[in-house]
């Protein structure tokens, strides 16, 4: 596993940091910790500004 961060593109805010196997798993983990089943269950307004998962700490 690698360490990822999920960032909201419109604001640049980091929403989540944690371990995941890949970018998709990182988005799912972020959503799950927020109380959703996975990323696809997030409401549209939460994804409106764009979310990106990237390796944390270079």
């Amino acid at each position: 596993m690698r360490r990822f961060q999920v960032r909201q593109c419109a604001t640049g805010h980091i929403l989540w940091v944690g371990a995941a196997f890949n970018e998709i798993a990182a988005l799912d983990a972020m959503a799950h910790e927020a109380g959703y089943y996975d990323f696809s269950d997030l409401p549209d307004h939460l994804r409106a500004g764009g979310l990106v998962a990237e390796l944390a700490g270079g």
Side-chain angles (χ1 to χ4, degrees), residues 9-49:
C9 296
T11 64
H13 290 108
I14 296 172
L15 305 176
W16 178 86
V17 176
F21 288 109
N22 57 39
E23 292 86 354
I24 294 170
L27 291 168
D28 284 343
M30 181 268 315
H32 187 74
E33 284 191 24
Y36 298 92
Y37 182 74
D38 62 16
F39 183 73
S40 66
D41 284 342
L42 285 176
D44 290 337
H45 72 276
L46 295 178
R47 293 185 271 168

